[in-house]
Amino acid sequence: LMTRISEDANEVMGFFIDGLPYMFTNILFMIASIFIMLSMSVRLTLLTIMTLPILFLVSFKMQPVLWRYNGRRALYSIMNDNLTGARVVKAFGREQAENERFYKVSKKVRRAEMDLVNYDNLFYMVYAGVEQFAIVSVWLFGAGMVLGNEPLIDYGILVTFISYITSLAERLDFFSYIFRWWAASMNSAQRIFEILDASADVVEIA
């Protein structure tokens, strides 16, 4: 109960206070950047934003698995029981039984953490790979536009355009992080509501 009240509540609060407002700020920045990029080169802008649906598809497909891995981390509460209730365990001579129980639970927690970290890294790797593919594609396509017989854009515009793509990629990195943060906070919210919605075992007579 203490784990859910303290850690889970802080997780949810952090998402809505520190995460959600920055999400709207980054969306506005992305919209403004795309309009500026359109003023420099429509072709390069279209080539850039073609990757956005891929990133959203990646997030949509990988999000459920990320949610499930975050949910398995709830086993921490069982470990907390053994530590905070050490006196009770010793009083009833349950040291050996609790040690075995603790060992089994700790193995599951370790496996859950490893799975979460590995999948989290995979999520970010795919996200970053799509971003870098977009940047390289713009460099190659833009170089052809600069070095052609009739240059369509100047080299300075291409460099400026790339700087905007880099800034855009930083905002997309934030969205990859906030998708993972959202999965963790919603799992925490689910555990909190399990307590709030629980029915009392003993009902007082009115």
Side-chain angles (χ1 to χ4, degrees):
L1 291 177
M2 291 304 298
T3 299
R4 296 190 185 192
I5 292 172
S6 59
E7 295 182 6
D8 290 337
N10 287 331
E11 182 76 31
V12 176
M13 181 181 67
F15 175 77
F16 283 98
I17 292 179
D18 298 327
L20 205 58
Y22 286 104
M23 184 179 70
F24 293 112
T25 302
N26 281 281
I27 290 175
L28 293 176
F29 181 88
M30 289 176 61
I31 294 174
S33 298
I34 290 174
F35 276 108
I36 296 174
M37 291 161 64
L38 284 170
S39 66
M40 289 188 287
S41 174
V42 176
R43 295 181 181 180
L44 293 180
T45 304
L46 293 177
L47 181 62
T48 302
I49 62 178
M50 280 175 58
T51 60
L52 294 180
I54 300 176
L55 293 176
F56 284 110
L57 181 62
V58 168
S59 300
F60 180 77
K61 291 293 185 181
M62 302 182 78
Q63 192 68 35
V65 181
L66 199 62
W67 178 294
R68 187 170 68 251
Y69 283 149
N70 272 287
R72 290 167 59 184
R73 300 174 70 192
L75 295 168
Y76 276 125
S77 58
I78 302 177
M79 298 177 65
N80 185 67
D81 291 342
N82 286 336
L83 297 176
T84 57
R87 290 184 178 180
V88 178
V89 172
K90 191 173 182 61
F92 285 91
R94 296 284 300 174
E95 294 93 333
Q96 184 62 34
E98 289 300 320
N99 283 337
E100 294 176 358
R101 178 170 175 260
F102 183 88
Y103 177 72
K104 293 178 181 179
V105 172
S106 63
K107 285 181 62 177
K108 293 180 180 179
V109 171
R110 177 183 174 275
R111 184 68 264 169
E113 285 290 342
M114 292 296 295
D115 289 341
L116 178 62
V117 170
N118 290 333
Y119 197 81
D120 194 51
N121 291 334
L122 176 63
F123 188 99
Y124 180 75
M125 182 181 68
V126 173
Y127 225 86
V130 176
E131 291 175 359
Q132 294 302 316
F133 175 77
I135 293 175
V136 172
S137 299
V138 170
W139 266 117
L140 294 175
F141 193 75
M145 296 173 66
V146 172
L147 301 175
N149 295 328
E150 297 181 1
L152 300 177
I153 59 173
D154 296 330
Y155 177 73
I157 294 178
L158 177 60
V159 173
T160 305
F161 192 91
I162 293 296
S163 67
Y164 272 98
I165 293 180
T166 304
S167 298
L168 200 63
E170 293 176 358
R171 268 63 190 181
L172 291 174
D173 288 340
F174 170 80
F175 278 102
S176 74
Y177 171 71
I178 205 165
F179 280 136
R180 292 172 281 167
W181 193 1
W182 178 82
S185 64
M186 290 302 102
N187 270 283
S188 296
Q190 183 177 1
R191 291 192 291 269
I192 292 173
F193 281 113
E194 285 177 1
I195 297 175
L196 296 177
D197 297 337
S199 300
D201 294 332
V202 179
V203 180
E204 295 184 3
I205 299 176

